[in-house]
Amino acid sequence: MTNLEFIYKRKSIRKFKDQEVPKEDLIEMLKAATYAPSAKHQQNWHFDVITNKEKIEEIAKVVGDRHMEIANLADNEKDQANMSKFLKYYTVFKNAPVLVLVYAKPYKTVEYKILKDKPECKELYNMATSSQAEIQTIGAAVENLLLAAANMGYGACYMTGPVHSRDKIYEVMGHDETKGELMALIPVGVPEDSSAPQPPRLPLEDVVTFID
Ligand SMILES: Cc1cc2nc3c(=O)[nH]c(=O)nc-3n(C[C@H](O)[C@H](O)[C@H](O)COP(=O)(O)O)c2cc1C
């Protein structure tokens, strides 16, 4: 039996010890990320690795502010309360020693080029681009990073919620367009001793169809 324990033991970690992560360990995780498959091997990712506490706190502040700005736009109290309740899940990185920002660069492929400027092919273009290969590529890289981190004894969390503050995060970071667009954030650190249990999975028969 193949040992897949390193996959089954990974879970999202949202609380971290106040302990630095050595740079060589970060490099190993990032290297693992880049060994992910990428559409047409375009490797259209970029990673900013932030270890500066003030920068991480600044990002958490703009994300928190934007979150409440959205909550206050709600048409009713229920939606407002619901949005506010989730604030902590959008700022879990605020006490992490490391925050990785993951960017996606555009994915270029010949079918897009052929179809792009032909109004009569709009439906075909939409279908061809709907797989969002550049985003799927980022997902593969993030999962590699998460698995590497878990296997090395660190905790991490895949986060897209804070992307609702992309413009503000760019203001904090100073945006370099050549890195692509911010798609995900990953706090990394030594997990707190009391971390939430891994949530149960749907039974395989609910999500898998074997076609013989
Ligand atoms: C695309 C994606 C986005 C996510 N965004 C967030 C997020 O913004 N905040 C958060 O706390 N968790 C986020 N998560 C983590 C999920 O909540 C978590 O993976 C799920 O509850 C399963 O738990 P596990 O990772 O411990 O197995 C995200 C996960 C994925 C795959």
Side-chain angles (χ1 to χ4, degrees):
M1 191 72 162
T2 317
N3 184 4
L4 298 180
E5 216 31 58
F6 74 102
I7 291 182
Y8 299 133
K9 80 174 188 193
R10 185 215 57 83
K11 62 179 182 175
S12 292
I13 297 295
R14 299 183 175 88
K15 286 186 183 156
F16 303 91
K17 288 188 177 165
D18 187 14
Q19 204 174 315
E20 282 183 19
V21 180
K23 192 161 184 184
E24 58 269 27
D25 288 355
L26 290 171
I27 289 171
E28 198 64 49
M29 290 173 217
L30 270 305
K31 182 178 167 194
T34 64
Y35 271 66
S38 67
K40 292 213 169 76
H41 195 41
Q42 287 186 15
Q43 304 175 74
N44 58 297
W45 43 54
H46 187 89
F47 307 90
D48 276 342
V49 184
I50 313 173
T51 53
N52 178 307
K53 256 183 188 309
E54 286 85 56
K55 272 264 180 280
I56 295 174
E57 279 163 17
E58 256 185 274
I59 294 176
K61 167 89 175 69
V62 297
V63 170
D65 288 349
R66 172 59 54 78
H67 196 84
M68 294 319 293
E69 183 188 328
I70 297 173
N72 292 330
L73 289 168
D75 294 326
N76 58 69
E77 279 183 18
K78 191 167 164 251
D79 286 350
Q80 187 182 35
N82 219 356
M83 185 73 186
S84 308
K85 191 175 78 187
F86 283 112
L87 173 64
K88 64 172 188 279
Y89 289 101
Y90 286 65
T91 52
V92 293
F93 59 86
K94 70 175 179 234
N95 295 317
V98 182
L99 180 64
V100 180
L101 306 185
V102 188
Y103 301 82
K105 298 180 201 186
Y107 171 64
K108 297 179 195 114
T109 187
V110 67
E111 65 256 43
Y112 298 178
K113 192 170 161 231
I114 294 170
L115 299 169
K116 189 162 66 75
D117 300 318
K118 296 188 171 54
E120 70 281 17
C121 298
K122 195 168 184 299
E123 219 173 295
L124 202 47
Y125 177 78
N126 287 345
M127 192 156 43
T129 52
S130 66
S131 61
Q132 300 183 58
E134 68 278 24
I135 313 297
Q136 295 207 36
T137 290
I138 297 309
V142 172
E143 178 65 354
N144 267 19
L145 197 158
L146 299 180
L147 289 173
N151 209 33
M152 294 165 73
Y154 294 104
C157 185
Y158 193 156
M159 300 184 72
T160 54
V163 175
H164 67 18
S165 310
R166 181 190 277 146
D167 56 340
K168 296 290 172 189
I169 296 173
Y170 287 170
E171 278 175 24
V172 173
M173 295 299 299
H175 184 46
D176 170 359
E177 280 178 17
T178 62
K179 291 177 182 172
E181 260 200 291
L182 178 66
M183 289 296 164
L185 294 81
I186 316 171
V188 180
V190 177
E192 268 292 354
D193 298 327
S194 59
S195 59
Q198 188 185 53
R201 268 39 192 178
L202 292 169
L204 267 198
E205 52 271 28
D206 286 7
V207 297
V208 178
T209 308
F210 282 102
I211 298 151
D212 299 323

